[in-house]
Amino acid sequence: LRAESRVAELTTSPKTLAFGEVFLEHEETRVVTVRNTSRVPAKFSVPAQDALTSQLASWTATPDSGTLSAMDETEVVVTLRAHHLGIIRVPLSVVSVGSKRPPTEVALEAAARGPLVRFFQNLDAAMDETAKAANAETLRDPLTGDVSAATLVSTSDSTSG
């Protein structure tokens, strides 16, 4: 008596899912394609994110499991939320259920930015800096170099000027 068991092989595309510039604590969505490159049906799952990488950015995958016919493919919607500023790279795994092979990895990449906040001694100093910035374009995002409107915060109220 002889038996042979085949487990489906899965691939993902793209290998790096680029979210580009994302705003801190806001969700962005992209799509990963999961392909069954085998001639047998496949079951796949996307394991939960580990606690360490979820401190940098958290993600969800929908659907997080499914069945693919032979030579079939499906789209998995990935939603990312950055929790820290800067360049972020966190892994997402796709497992071929029943396979002894390592999971297929997708790198989720983003450049997370947040609001620019500058503190001034008083409102007059803040207004002067705003006027200079409008003329000289000196308020630049430290991550991207983009000129943008900064949020001005005075350390005292306008009456103490």
Side-chain angles (χ1 to χ4, degrees):
L1 182 65
R2 182 178 163 178
E4 186 176 314
S5 175
R6 292 189 181 208
V7 177
E9 289 187 37
L10 300 176
T11 62
T12 54
S13 163
K15 295 292 183 196
T16 300
L17 192 58
F19 284 81
E21 191 173 280
V22 300
F23 201 77
L24 195 64
E25 297 299 338
H26 284 70
E27 293 183 347
E28 293 289 334
T29 302
R30 301 289 185 274
V31 174
V32 171
T33 301
V34 178
R35 286 186 186 87
N36 176 4
T37 58
S38 305
R39 294 189 173 147
V40 294
K43 287 186 178 181
F44 73 91
S45 70
V46 180
Q49 184 178 11
D50 66 77
L52 183 62
T53 64
S54 67
Q55 293 176 14
L56 293 173
S58 55
W59 54 259
T60 59
T62 307
D64 62 359
S65 63
T67 303
L68 294 171
S69 301
M71 308 303 286
D72 195 11
E73 65 183 45
T74 192
E75 291 184 340
V76 174
V77 177
V78 179
T79 302
L80 181 79
R81 178 185 290 252
H83 303 303
H84 285 276
L85 295 175
I87 305 301
I88 293 172
R89 184 178 172 103
V90 294
L92 176 142
S93 299
V94 178
V95 174
S96 179
V97 177
S99 176
K100 293 181 181 178
R101 292 189 179 110
T104 302
E105 298 284 329
V106 177
L108 309 181
E109 290 185 349
R113 60 176 283 187
L116 296 177
V117 180
R118 297 187 63 190
F119 293 89
F120 297 92
Q121 293 300 317
N122 57 51
L123 186 57
D124 290 336
M127 297 304 286
D128 289 346
E129 187 66 23
T130 302
K132 288 179 195 173
N135 293 332
E137 297 183 351
T138 57
L139 291 180
R140 295 196 176 268
D141 184 311
L143 183 63
T144 65
D146 292 341
V147 174
S148 63
T151 302
L152 300 173
V153 177
S154 174
T155 57
S156 61
D157 62 37
S158 59
T159 59
S160 64

